[in-house]
């Protein structure tokens, strides 16, 4: 995975140059400088890890969005395909840096701080993709605005970070005795969680009592 991360750094330097040709912003010049510095100081473990944990994830995930916007501007007929490629890459782009750099963090307090940084600053505050050539009321626009792509990126980060740190997840909620009753209780709890999510959103727009609880107007 370390080699994959190194290849990713070189690839993102190329992407940074492409973005600079289109945008010419100070931020993108800074991002290019950080990527080059990350390559040059790779043998200095402390400096390298600091750059790779604090700055590189932010650059990676923002460059995926910026490149997606550029491709959509020049290849508007392929907007749908570009969106799905963007979504897939956004979800998996942080896996190498998570395993290689975040996996090295030993102290629990630094693991917590690193996770708060990754989730709240790097992922949650990243701007959404700009969609101009799709139906504003369509599924693709709604999916983009929902932030589901970044939510999946967070889920993937948490999984690989926790796995790299040697923690394990166990579904051992002892609700009832017997595997069948425990499975049934899990399904009921999971289903209720989904229902509450829809209820929380659609309850504000309900015109009739049926629309409050189940007959939601997805249009």
């Amino acid at each position: 995975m370390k080699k994959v991360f190194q290849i990713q750094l070189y690839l993102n330097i190329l992407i940074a140059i492409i973005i600079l040709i289109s945008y010419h912003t100070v931020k993108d010049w800074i991002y290019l400088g950080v990527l080059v510095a990350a390559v040059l100081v790779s043998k200095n473990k402390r400096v390298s890890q600091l750059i790779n944990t604090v700055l590189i994830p932010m650059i990676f995930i923002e460059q995926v969005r910026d490149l997606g916007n550029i491709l959509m501007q020049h290849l508007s007929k392929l907007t749908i395909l570009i969106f799905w490629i963007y979504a897939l890459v956004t979800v998996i782009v942080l896996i190498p840096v998570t395993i290689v750099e975040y996996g090295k963090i030993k102290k629990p307090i630094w693991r917590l701080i690193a996770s708060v940084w990754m989730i709240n600053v790097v992922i949650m505050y990243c701007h959404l993709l700009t969609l101009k050539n799709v139906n504003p009321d369509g599924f693709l626009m709604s999916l983009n605005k929902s932030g589901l792509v970044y939510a999946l990126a967070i889920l993937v980060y948490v999984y690989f970070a926790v796995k790299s740190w040697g923690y394990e997840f166990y579904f051992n909620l002892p609700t009832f005795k017997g595997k069948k009753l425990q499975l049934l209780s899990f399904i009921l709890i999971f289903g209720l969680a989904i229902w509450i999510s829809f209820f929380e959103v659609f309850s504000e727009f309900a015109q009739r009592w049926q629309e409050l609880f189940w007959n939601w107007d997805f249009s």
Side-chain angles (χ1 to χ4, degrees), residues 13 53 79 86 104 199:
I13 289 175
T53 54
T79 295
Y86 145 82
K104 295 178 182 177
F199 173 79

Side-chain angles (χ1 to χ4, degrees), residues 46-80:
R46 290 186 178 181
V47 177
S48 178
Q49 187 178 17
L50 181 63
I51 293 175
N52 292 339
T53 54
V54 177
L55 299 177
I56 291 301
M58 180 189 303
I59 295 173
F60 278 2
I61 205 162
E62 284 200 24
Q63 284 187 333
V64 172
R65 182 206 64 214
D66 291 342
L67 183 61
N69 286 331
I70 292 171
L71 291 175
M72 285 183 179
Q73 289 175 7
H74 294 86
L75 303 169
S76 58
K77 293 182 179 180
L78 299 177
T79 295
I80 296 176

Side-chain angles (χ1 to χ4, degrees), residues 37-182:
V39 173
L40 295 177
V41 302
S42 59
K43 293 183 179 180
N44 189 320
K45 293 183 179 180
R46 290 186 178 181
V47 177
S48 178
Q49 187 178 17
L50 181 63
I51 293 175
N52 292 339
T53 54
V54 177
L55 299 177
I56 291 301
M58 180 189 303
I59 295 173
F60 278 2
I61 205 162
E62 284 200 24
Q63 284 187 333
V64 172
R65 182 206 64 214
D66 291 342
L67 183 61
N69 286 331
I70 292 171
L71 291 175
M72 285 183 179
Q73 289 175 7
H74 294 86
L75 303 169
S76 58
K77 293 182 179 180
L78 299 177
T79 295
I80 296 176
L81 176 62
I82 293 171
F83 175 84
W84 288 112
I85 294 174
Y86 145 82
L88 176 63
V89 175
T90 299
V91 170
I92 66 174
V93 72
L94 298 177
I95 293 176
V97 70
T98 300
I99 295 174
V100 174
E101 297 296 349
Y102 281 69
K104 295 178 182 177
I105 303 174
K106 301 299 182 182
K107 293 185 178 180
I109 183 62
W110 288 116
R111 290 175 176 176
L112 177 61
I113 293 172
S115 295
V116 169
W117 171 259
M118 175 72 88
I119 294 172
N120 289 281
V121 179
V122 177
I123 301 178
M124 290 186 67
Y125 289 98
C126 190
H127 297 293
L128 299 174
L129 193 68
T130 302
L131 296 177
K132 295 181 179 179
N133 301 305
V134 299
N135 182 1
D137 297 320
F139 172 78
L140 209 63
M141 182 66 76
S142 299
L143 178 62
N144 184 50
K145 289 182 177 179
S146 71
L148 180 62
V149 173
Y150 291 129
L152 292 174
I154 292 173
L155 183 63
V156 169
Y157 160 75
V158 170
Y159 171 79
F160 282 98
V162 168
K163 189 175 180 180
S164 298
W165 294 332
Y167 299 130
E168 297 290 342
F169 285 120
Y170 295 99
F171 290 99
N172 59 348
L173 182 64
T175 50
F176 298 100
K177 291 183 179 180
K179 292 184 178 180
K180 290 184 178 180
L181 287 176
Q182 288 191 17

Side-chain angles (χ1 to χ4, degrees), residues 178-209:
K179 292 184 178 180
K180 290 184 178 180
L181 287 176
Q182 288 191 17
L183 178 61
L184 179 61
S185 66
F186 172 76
I187 293 172
L188 290 174
I189 293 170
F190 188 72
L192 182 62
I194 294 175
W195 178 85
I196 290 174
S197 299
F198 281 103
F199 173 79
E200 177 67 23
V201 174
F202 288 100
S203 60
E204 299 180 8
F205 308 101
Q207 300 295 323
R208 298 175 298 170
W209 69 270

